Amino acid sequence: MSTTQNTRVALVTGGSGGIGKAVVEKLIADGFAVAVHYAGNQARADTIVADARAAGGRAIAVGGDVADEIAMEAAFDRVETEFGGVDVVVNTAGVMILGPIADFGLDDFDRLMRTNVRGTFVVSQQAARRVRGGGAIINFSTTVTRTQFPTYGPYVAGKSAVEGMTMILARELRGRDITVNAVAPGPTATPLFLDGKSDEAVAALANAAPLGRLGAPEDIAEVAAFLAGPARWINGQTLFANGGLA
């Protein structure tokens, strides 16, 4: 598969997930060639790619553990081979495990840190080496760094680290014409968010925002696409997409 000289290329990690899938679909609609990354659900990624191609888009699926530097190097190699380069990396891959700090299992904590922190670092490192001038690196944080809900402590610890490394990478890439930002979604109706929550808890979170609803994956995808495309003067920032929750 090849792209025209003017086609921009994006790699979306976690592209088979709820927000990731919405980001893929939005970037395809915006004319990007997109690599849909998956960790464990190749069938879902292949379906997203097939749908994109059926609609006239350009897409491939790439697999691998985001925390494995060899796997991610190979994933970036594949994207460059197929599409000729990488312009945008949207790093949506992540896991969410909730629980009070006092009782939180360290195995679960290590799993969170491995995917959400090391994984973001590994992907950002490859992106910093490979994204072309005029490109963008977009990582994912969470609004809970502000709202500070109980049981989110371990998750927020990882996402706070993501914000920190994102801000510093933006400064380290001075002179490269590459923007580096983070998106911090509020409560968003994805399987990752809804898992383990009662209907009452979901309703309370939906009502907490002034807009009176949960976010949709498409709401978050709009922000990522803005940063991936026209938002060339936004750099080294965390954008909170949460309906006014905080």
Side-chain angles (χ1 to χ4, degrees):
M1 184 180 297
S2 62
T3 61
T4 64
Q5 187 173 3
N6 295 326
T7 299
R8 300 185 77 212
V9 177
L11 167 63
V12 181
T13 73
S16 62
I19 290 175
K21 177 176 180 289
V23 171
V24 168
E25 291 170 347
K26 174 60 177 168
L27 293 179
I28 289 284
D30 287 351
F32 279 77
V34 180
V36 182
H37 164 268
Y38 64 90
N41 198 335
Q42 181 176 355
R44 183 173 171 85
D46 286 343
T47 297
I48 295 168
V49 167
D51 289 345
R53 290 178 176 175
R58 296 168 292 261
I60 59 171
V62 294
D65 176 1
V66 289
D68 182 334
E69 68 275 21
I70 303 302
M72 286 303 97
E73 184 176 6
F76 275 80
D77 285 346
R78 173 92 190 283
V79 178
E80 290 180 340
T81 298
E82 290 286 337
F83 293 138
V86 181
D87 299 290
V88 172
V89 174
V90 186
N91 194 19
T92 77
V95 296
M96 179 186 290
I97 308 171
L98 304 182
I101 292 171
D103 302 322
F104 203 81
L106 292 181
D107 287 345
D108 284 339
F109 185 80
D110 288 344
R111 180 184 168 209
L112 271 176
M113 293 299 117
R114 187 176 195 281
T115 299
N116 295 356
V117 180
R118 180 186 168 102
T120 298
F121 187 91
V122 167
V123 172
S124 294
Q125 187 175 65
Q126 287 295 322
R129 295 169 179 172
R130 309 219 196 188
V131 167
R132 297 184 285 204
I137 300 169
I138 304 162
N139 289 324
F140 267 70
S141 181
T142 173
T143 286
V144 192
T145 57
R146 285 187 177 179
T147 57
Q148 300 166 357
F149 294 140
T151 75
Y152 280 79
Y155 182 70
V156 166
K159 291 302 187 179
S160 296
V162 167
E163 287 191 23
M165 75 173 80
T166 300
M167 301 309 107
I168 289 172
L169 182 57
R171 278 95 186 146
E172 290 180 345
L173 296 185
R174 172 185 288 273
R176 295 266 306 277
D177 190 24
I178 297 169
T179 62
V180 189
N181 295 288
V183 178
T188 305
T190 67
L192 180 69
F193 169 77
L194 297 172
D195 183 43
K197 292 183 175 67
S198 67
D199 291 344
E200 293 77 10
V202 171
L205 287 165
N207 290 329
L211 292 181
R213 66 173 176 85
L214 293 178
E218 292 76 16
D219 294 321
I220 312 306
E222 290 282 354
V223 179
F226 176 59
L227 293 173
R232 299 308 304 166
W233 195 235
I234 298 177
N235 188 33
Q237 306 296 320
T238 300
L239 271 65
F240 287 80
N242 57 29
L245 180 61

